Amino acid sequence: MNENCSQGQLTLGCHLSISKGFLKMAQTAVSIDANTFQFFTRNPRGGAAKAVNQQDIDAFAAYCAEQGIHQVLAHAPYTLNAASANEQVRAFAFEVLADDLRRMEHTPHQMYNFHPGGNSQQSIAESIEQVAEVLNTVLSPGQTTMVLLETMAGKGSEVGASFDDLAQVIARVELESHLGVCLDTCHVWDAGYDIVNNLDGVLEEFDSSIGLGRLRAIHLNDSLNERGSHKDRHAKIGEGKIGFEALARITNHPMLRHLPFYLETPNELPGYADEISRLRARYLQ
Ligand code: FE
Ligand code: FE
Ligand code: ZN
C-alpha cells in the first residue's frame, strides 16, 4: 500500500474470523464497505493454525484485485510472549512467529502484527533484549511480510507502552527493514499519550523516537478508560473516553490518512458496518 494507490479513499476495515478462509473474509469485508481487514493467524489464545489452502488463496487474490483490497493485516495470538519468564511460553513465541511468517509468504506483501510481550520478573530493558532476540531469529532477508510491533497500554510490565520501547527493539534488530509499528489508539491513550488534545505533539514524539516512516497501520479503537489508566479495554467508536471527533481527526490527519485503519471494537458485523459508514462519512476527500 502506498499513498498513491489509496489517495482519496479511506482504507478501513475491522477484525474478522479466518475460520472460513481468506476469500470469505474478503467477501465479508466488502459486504460492510470495508476495503481491508485484520485476522488472527490462529486461535487468539494459541494452538494450531489452519492448513494453507492454495485454492482459497488464489480466489482471494483475484477477488481482492477486483474489489480494490490492497493489503490486509494478520495478528499473532495474544498468548505469544517473546519476553516471557516461562521458557515454554518463550519457545512457543519462537515457533509461532517462525511458522506464521512462513505461512504469510503464501499471501505475499502483507503485514503481520504482534504484541511485543514482557514479564514482571525482569526489567523492561531485559524484555526489550529478548523481543529483539526473537526477531533476530525469525526474520529472514527474503521475506515480503512487514512485521509490526504494536503499541501497548502498559498493563503490568509489557514492552511497548512508550514509543521509546519500540524504538529500542527496532534498533537491536538486524533486518530492521522488515519492521514497522502498528499504533493502537486505545493502547496509546491508556498508556498516557494525549491523542485527543495534542495529536500533533504525540505524532512529533512518535517521529522523533521511532520515525513516522515506520508507522504502517492503525488500530482504531475508543477506550473505556481515562488517559493513562494502563487498562486496555476497547470501546465502540464514540462510546469511550477518546470520542468520535478525536478518532475522525486521526483518520483525516495529513500524516495518517493514507494508512490502513482497523477497528477492534466490541462489535458484531452490523456494529462494524455502522462505524465504517460513520467514519467514511467524516473522511474529507
Ligand atoms: Fe493487538
Ligand atoms: Fe490493537
Ligand atoms: Zn487492546
Side-chain angles (χ1 to χ4, degrees):
M1 175 79 52
N2 59 46
E3 277 164 74
N4 293 332
C5 80
S6 64
Q7 203 164 30
Q9 92 160 306
L10 174 59
T11 305
L12 175 63
C14 64
H15 195 91
L16 297 173
S17 164
I18 196 177
S19 62
K20 290 184 181 142
F22 279 95
L23 177 61
K24 183 69 193 165
M25 286 191 286
Q27 289 169 334
T28 303
V30 167
S31 79
I32 56 168
D33 200 21
N35 50 357
T36 186
F37 60 87
Q38 174 177 264
F39 62 98
F40 283 121
T41 52
R42 59 188 77 213
N43 182 312
R45 311 241 162 254
K50 262 172 78 95
V52 172
N53 176 341
Q54 195 57 47
Q55 211 182 339
D56 175 44
I57 284 170
D58 292 344
F60 165 72
Y63 184 76
C64 286
E66 185 186 300
Q67 296 289 338
I69 295 175
H70 302 291
Q71 197 164 44
V72 298
L73 177 59
H75 195 304
Y78 288 141
T79 44
L80 191 147
N81 185 348
S84 174
N86 178 325
E87 271 315 310
Q88 267 173 314
V89 173
R90 201 151 177 263
F92 175 82
F94 277 97
E95 264 168 52
V96 167
L97 277 172
D99 184 45
D100 277 356
L101 291 180
R102 263 192 306 272
R103 299 157 53 87
M104 288 296 293
E105 293 302 315
H106 290 273
T107 50
H109 303 287
Q110 307 302 333
M111 302 183 292
Y112 178 89
N113 173 69
F114 78 106
H115 298 178
N119 85 69
S120 57
Q121 292 167 40
Q122 63 188 20
S123 66
I124 291 276
E126 288 169 299
S127 292
I128 285 169
E129 296 294 343
Q130 291 193 322
V131 177
E133 186 197 352
V134 171
L135 287 168
N136 277 321
T137 307
V138 301
L139 295 181
S140 59
Q143 73 179 64
T144 65
T145 304
M146 179 63 67
V147 175
L148 307 185
L149 295 141
E150 183 167 350
T151 60
M152 303 307 294
K155 276 182 300 170
S157 50
E158 59 190 7
V159 170
S162 81
F163 298 153
D164 236 39
D165 286 357
L166 300 184
Q168 286 188 50
V169 172
I170 293 166
R172 285 164 175 74
V173 176
E174 203 187 331
L175 299 174
E176 45 76 32
S177 66
H178 298 298
L179 291 182
V181 169
C182 174
L183 185 149
D184 186 308
T185 55
C186 168
H187 296 179
V188 296
W189 172 258
D190 284 21
Y193 291 100
D194 193 354
I195 54 174
V196 173
N197 298 302
N198 188 22
L199 179 58
D200 283 330
V202 172
L203 294 179
E204 270 163 40
E205 197 174 332
F206 188 103
D207 195 34
S208 66
S209 176
I210 300 172
L212 272 172
R214 294 271 182 197
L215 183 55
R216 305 306 284 262
I218 305 238
H219 283 166
L220 198 70
N221 302 307
D222 214 324
S223 172
L224 280 180
N225 292 289
E226 299 293 347
R227 182 166 74 85
S229 63
H230 302 291
K231 286 274 181 32
D232 188 4
R233 298 282 310 282
H234 300 192
K236 294 180 184 180
I237 302 298
E239 295 185 14
K241 303 290 183 188
I242 300 174
F244 180 81
E245 285 308 317
L247 291 165
R249 267 201 303 280
I250 288 171
T251 61
N252 279 295
H253 193 281
M255 306 302 291
L256 307 175
R257 55 186 283 117
H258 64 284
L259 293 168
F261 295 87
Y262 300 91
L263 301 164
E264 299 175 312
T265 44
N267 276 307
E268 303 293 330
L269 271 190
Y272 280 134
D274 175 59
E275 290 183 347
I276 288 170
S277 110
R278 284 188 291 130
L279 287 161
R280 286 207 185 287
R282 279 298 307 277
Y283 191 67
L284 307 167
Q285 296 302 315

